[in-house]
Amino acid sequence: MPVKHIFLDMDGVLTDFVGAALRLHGRTELLDNWPRGERDIAKVLGLSRGAYWSKIDEQGSDFWASLEPYAWLHELIDVVRDVAPFTILTAPSLSPSSAEGKVRWMYEHFPKVEGRRFTSYLIGSQKHLLAQPGHLLIDDSEAHVDAFQAAGGQAILFPQVWTRKHSTDPPIEYVRTCLMGVR
């Protein structure tokens, strides 16, 4: 079935959440030595989930609003737009400041068009509820990708060191190739 709409994850696909979290915890050396296929940042840091997230939550919305975009941000958006319209679909943390910061990030990195702010986004963790034929999710979470596919949508697992696609490099070329196959 041709793709009618693409949902793009934010953290790990468009923004460098892992790098920001490691910098905040003073452990940037882990960026070069990340255990392949391991998604649990708190585990890699040797912290409880509570200790890990409380340090992020203390930063408020500024943590999320200041995430660095990956170098491929604009190229990825162009590749996606060539296939179908897109919506950013991002899961918030348990802190309300997460959603605010993510919206601020989108406002900064997606310029106004005809005087209107970027509004093609949805915030929520139940991404699979949007799955249906013709809908495609691009996400770095194996759980989200698997659930989206199980619910009837198509999905591309975005290659990152913490996913089962960790050996795929560069990520943008992998996505481009996958999208060519689903047109």
Side-chain angles (χ1 to χ4, degrees):
M1 157 147 296
V3 175
K4 296 185 285 189
H5 200 90
I6 297 174
F7 295 98
L8 273 174
D9 179 40
M10 194 168 148
D11 305 320
V13 174
L14 304 178
T15 66
D16 184 9
F17 169 79
V18 171
L22 293 179
R23 279 189 295 283
L24 181 63
H25 287 89
R27 298 293 307 275
T28 56
E29 80 282 359
L30 292 172
L31 286 169
D32 296 326
N33 303 311
W34 197 263
R36 301 280 185 223
E38 179 58 63
R39 183 170 181 81
D40 190 341
I41 301 170
K43 177 180 172 183
V44 174
L45 290 171
L47 297 172
S48 70
R49 293 184 66 73
Y52 167 72
W53 281 107
S54 67
K55 192 155 189 169
I56 291 172
D57 293 344
E58 287 170 7
Q59 306 302 305
S61 65
D62 288 344
F63 174 83
W64 302 96
S66 65
L67 290 176
E68 289 294 321
Y70 283 118
W72 56 72
L73 170 68
H74 296 293
E75 185 179 2
L76 178 59
I77 296 300
D78 289 343
V79 166
V80 165
R81 277 189 177 136
D82 284 347
V83 174
F86 77 94
T87 298
I88 294 176
L89 178 55
T90 185
S93 74
L94 297 179
S95 172
S97 63
S98 167
E100 177 191 339
K102 287 173 180 257
V103 171
R104 287 176 43 208
W105 185 92
M106 287 182 270
Y107 283 179
E108 179 179 337
H109 294 281
F110 290 88
K112 289 182 180 179
V113 175
E114 296 177 2
R116 290 180 45 106
R117 289 195 182 271
F118 178 80
T119 58
S120 188
Y121 62 85
L122 297 168
I123 299 174
S125 61
Q126 302 296 311
K127 296 179 181 186
H128 67 281
L129 296 176
L130 296 167
Q132 61 179 289
H135 284 187
L136 183 138
L137 173 67
I138 300 173
D139 204 306
D140 68 312
S141 165
E142 293 172 11
H144 286 272
V145 163
D146 294 345
F148 202 86
Q149 289 173 321
Q154 297 169 276
I156 296 171
L157 179 60
F158 193 81
Q160 288 286 15
V161 69
W162 51 85
T163 72
R164 61 183 172 249
K165 291 284 185 202
H166 60 265
S167 62
T168 306
D169 191 26
I172 189 71
E173 292 309 318
Y174 176 76
V175 171
R176 185 187 323 271
T177 300
C178 289
L179 287 174
M180 287 176 163
V182 297
R183 284 184 182 215

